[in-house]
Structure formats: structure tokens, C-alpha cells
Amino acid sequence: MTEEARTDHSLTPVLRALRLCLHLMVAALLALAAVRALADGAPTAPAVLATAVVLLALYVLGPVLPRVRSSSRAAALWLAAVVAVWMVLLALTPDGVWLAFPLFFVQLHLLPLRWALPAVAASTALAIAGFAWHTRSLSVGTIIGPVLGAAVAVAVVLGYQALYRESEQRRRLIEELTAARSELAAAERAAGVLAERERLAREIHDTLAQGLSSIQLLLRAAERAVPERPETALGHIRQARTAAVDNLAEARRFVRALSPPDLEAGSLPAALERLCAATARTSGLAVHCQVSGVPAPLPTPHEVALLRIAQSALANTVQHAAAGRVELTLSYMDTEVALDVVDDGAGFVPSEVPPPGSGAGGSGFGLAAMRARARALQGTLAVESAPGEGTALAVTLPCPEPTAVPETPLGAAP
């Protein structure tokens, strides 16, 4: 495929205009040579006119023929024919020397550079020789004119090719950057989807799953108490209904993507106290809540994480620890906030905890979800336990530094 065929699809309007100007230049120079020959009444005027017509027809035929546009061999043969007819015209009239300048561009455009430069040099030598033969003299101007025209043509074409290569490199770079940005956006979307799935899994485990488990325990207790203690069964049913109402509120919160209802109604310490009271009421455990340090406002993600970890820890204690007493402590420190949940239950070996999802009914996500919540906020979670010695769970989250409020100088406008 020729260079012309390869680049036709990428020509800009400016380049198309330049190509049209080149064609018009060839036609104008051929017309000028024919008209001058006829005006001078030279004996070779008819031959000049016929040669000019043949050369113009041959020149126009090249861009029209698909074979010339698609085959390097056909393009080279067409160019050789054009140069041969031009040499005949140059032998008939000195005005043929002017056709050398547009032929330089055609040679540089169609031929590879290693062949184009020798072809331009040969055409320059022919132009100088033809003009010198007609004038019967060889002057500095006779040499400088064609050489300068060849140099200008080579500089223009090489400059255009350099700009074209740079433009192609920039285009490819932009395409690569666009593709990389699309891949990065896709990776970020996938990571966001996975993070959201993990967050929803933790939320469902710490709220709806725990609430449904509590409802199940209450209904079982009510079922056992129905024949002999109907009042006790009624109390269990009321507690189960309350738990169902709370879980319905949690489900609606998922849809609205709001903070937990307990936090919406007050501070984190108050929410923990209500959680401990509700756990004591539904499970019969002695659950105590205390706050250490001076309570300070925390970012919503910190409060949500601490509340959810407390819910999950108390639920694990109720379901698995067989404990009689639970102590929950929220500690405010200078740069950290800590939550400790300690029970006097059966205990376990932390290193032997089965992986998430391996428990009965696909359970076992509690500790993993709590660790994930702490890790998401650059915090830590530690569990200390041994068989028969109870369990102590401690989570520590760093407190973000408060935003400094600049002081207003005295006398300055507020």
C-alpha cells in the first residue's frame, strides 16, 4: 500500500487544500509552458502543447486509478511515466524546469525516503541540465534555483512527516490514557461494589440477623411458657414484637441509607445504654454499661461502627457464652476511643474459631465483621478468652483531629 493510500483517511481539511493547490500548480505550470510556446511561435510549439496535454492527462490519471492508490509498484510505474513525459517537455522548452518543484513533492510523497531523496536529487540535476542546455550557459542562478526548490520541498515534507508522527504518537497516548482511565474506573466500580456488599453483609449480620435471632429466642421461650405461664409468654411475645419493630426500622434505614435509629435519637453513650437495657430485658443477663472519660462528638462512621460492634458482641454473648454478667465500657481518650465488652461466660480458644460461614446455618461472621469494621476505620480489635474464663473483646479506633477554627483578631470584622 502506498503512503498516499495509507494517509488519505487521515487528511485534515488543510492538507486536502494543500494537495488541491499542488494539483492546480501542475495544471497552471503546464498551461504556462504551452501558452508561452504558442505565443513565441517556436517551431516546437505544437510538440510542447501535445506533451503538456499528455503530461496533464497522465498526472490526473494517477489519483483516479485505484491501482495507483493501493499498490506501491503501480504508483512507482505511474511516477516513472510522469517523470519520463516531463523529461520530454523539459527537452522541448526551458519552461519545463518549473514542473520540477511540484514533482519533488510527488516523489517525496509516494516513494519511501531512501528512494525519494535520490529521485529528488536526480530530478534536480535533470532540471539544471535541461535549463542549461536551452540557455547554452551554466550560471550560479541556474544551479541555485532548482537546488533551493528541492531543499524547500524536502524540508516541508520531512517537517510534515515529523509532525504527523508526533500527532500519531499523541493520539495513541490519548487512546492508551483513555483506555487506562476506563479500566481504572471499572476497577474502582468493582471495588466499590465489593466494599458495599461487605458493608451490607456486616450491617445485616449486626442488625437484622441478630434481631431475628433474638425474636426466635423470645418466641421459643413464649412457646415453652404458654401452657403454664401465659403472662410470661405474653411478655416474651411483646418483647418479640418490639424487636420486630426495631428490625423493621433497620430495614427501612437500609433503604434510606441513614444512620442507625438509636444514634438518630441521641448520642453514642445513650444508644449503648439503651442497647444494654434491651439486651438485659430480652435475655435475662445482667448487662451493665459505663462510660469512661469525657464524651466527645465522633464522626458518624465511628459511632456506627462502635454501636454495631457492641450489638454483635452482646448477641454473641447471649447466644454462645452462657454468661450471667456482661460489662460494656466506652472509654474516651485524647486520641482514641475504645469499647470493651467483658463477660463471665464459658469462653473459647480464639485461635480455634472456625472461618466465617462454617457455623451452623452458615453463621460465624460475627468476629470477622467486627474486625472488618475496625480495620475500615484504621482501628484494631482484640479478643482474649480461654475455656471457663470468660471473654474480653476490645476495639480501639483513632479519633480524627478536630478542625482548627482560626481566631479572629481583635477589631477585625467577623
Side-chain angles (χ1 to χ4, degrees):
M1 182 178 292
T2 64
E3 183 72 18
E4 180 178 2
R6 284 193 298 268
T7 59
D8 270 349
H9 69 281
S10 60
L11 288 177
T12 63
V14 174
L15 292 178
R16 290 192 178 93
L18 292 176
R19 174 175 287 186
L20 178 62
C21 291
L22 180 65
H23 298 334
L24 293 177
M25 181 188 298
V26 172
L29 291 176
L30 288 173
L32 177 62
V35 169
R36 288 192 60 178
L38 293 174
D40 293 342
T44 58
V48 170
L49 178 60
T51 305
V53 172
V54 171
L55 182 56
L56 180 60
L58 185 61
Y59 183 84
V60 172
L61 191 62
V64 174
L65 292 176
R67 184 68 177 171
V68 175
R69 296 169 60 87
S70 61
S71 172
S72 299
R73 181 182 179 85
L77 291 176
W78 171 80
L79 182 59
V82 170
V83 173
V85 178
W86 169 67
M87 291 174 61
V88 174
L89 181 66
L90 184 61
L92 294 174
T93 174
D95 292 332
V97 71
W98 302 112
L99 270 298
F101 186 69
L103 284 180
F104 293 155
F105 287 98
V106 177
Q107 291 168 342
L108 290 167
H109 185 64
L110 290 181
L111 299 176
L113 192 60
R114 64 178 182 276
W115 298 110
L117 293 179
V120 170
S123 300
T124 304
L126 287 174
I128 294 172
F131 193 79
W133 181 75
H134 282 288
T135 59
R136 300 294 191 273
S137 65
L138 184 63
S139 62
V140 176
T142 303
I143 298 174
I144 290 179
V147 170
L148 186 60
V152 170
V154 171
V156 170
V157 171
L158 292 181
Y160 161 72
Q161 291 179 351
L163 290 175
Y164 179 78
R165 286 193 297 269
E166 182 179 353
S167 175
E168 285 296 300
Q169 292 175 356
R170 185 179 293 109
R171 181 184 60 80
R172 286 193 294 269
L173 179 60
I174 292 174
E175 291 178 352
E176 292 174 359
L177 290 176
T178 303
R181 185 171 60 181
S182 300
E183 293 176 359
L184 179 60
E188 290 179 349
R189 284 194 296 271
V193 169
L194 292 177
E196 184 64 12
R197 286 177 179 174
E198 182 180 356
R199 186 189 70 82
L200 288 176
R202 292 196 302 264
E203 292 287 339
I204 292 173
H205 175 272
D206 294 343
T207 56
L208 299 181
Q210 303 292 359
L212 292 174
S213 177
S214 177
I215 293 172
Q216 182 184 25
L217 293 176
L218 289 170
L219 292 178
R220 283 182 180 177
E223 184 180 12
R224 290 192 299 267
V226 164
E228 300 177 356
R229 292 171 294 163
E231 292 298 330
T232 303
L234 182 60
H236 290 320
I237 292 174
R238 289 172 178 171
Q239 292 177 2
R241 185 177 63 183
T242 302
V245 171
D246 293 340
N247 277 266
L248 179 60
E250 289 288 353
R252 289 171 175 169
R253 182 187 64 81
F254 288 153
V255 178
R256 298 193 306 266
L258 298 175
S259 59
D262 289 337
L263 290 177
E264 292 178 357
S267 63
L268 175 62
L272 292 176
E273 290 178 359
R274 288 193 295 271
L275 172 64
C276 292
T279 303
R281 185 172 58 252
T282 58
S283 65
L285 292 178
V287 184
H288 298 277
C289 177
Q290 59 181 346
V291 178
S292 174
V294 179
L298 297 174
T300 300
H302 286 61
E303 293 188 342
V304 172
L306 292 173
L307 179 60
R308 294 308 186 207
I309 291 173
Q311 288 175 328
S312 184
L314 291 177
N316 286 345
T317 300
V318 172
Q319 295 177 21
H320 308 297
R325 182 182 181 86
V326 184
E327 294 286 345
L328 186 147
T329 304
L330 178 65
S331 302
Y332 289 92
M333 295 170 279
D334 292 338
T335 60
E336 294 176 336
V337 59
L339 177 70
D340 298 287
V341 181
V342 182
D343 66 62
D344 59 356
F348 62 98
V349 180
S351 60
E352 297 180 359
V353 174
S358 60
S363 61
F365 288 94
L367 284 176
M370 287 187 277
R371 284 197 177 93
R373 286 186 181 277
R375 188 168 53 248
L377 297 174
Q378 289 76 47
T380 60
L381 184 140
V383 179
E384 296 182 2
S385 183
E389 298 183 6
T391 302
L393 181 146
V395 59
T396 304
L397 300 180
C399 293
E401 296 182 2
T403 305
V405 179
E407 295 183 1
T408 304
L410 293 177

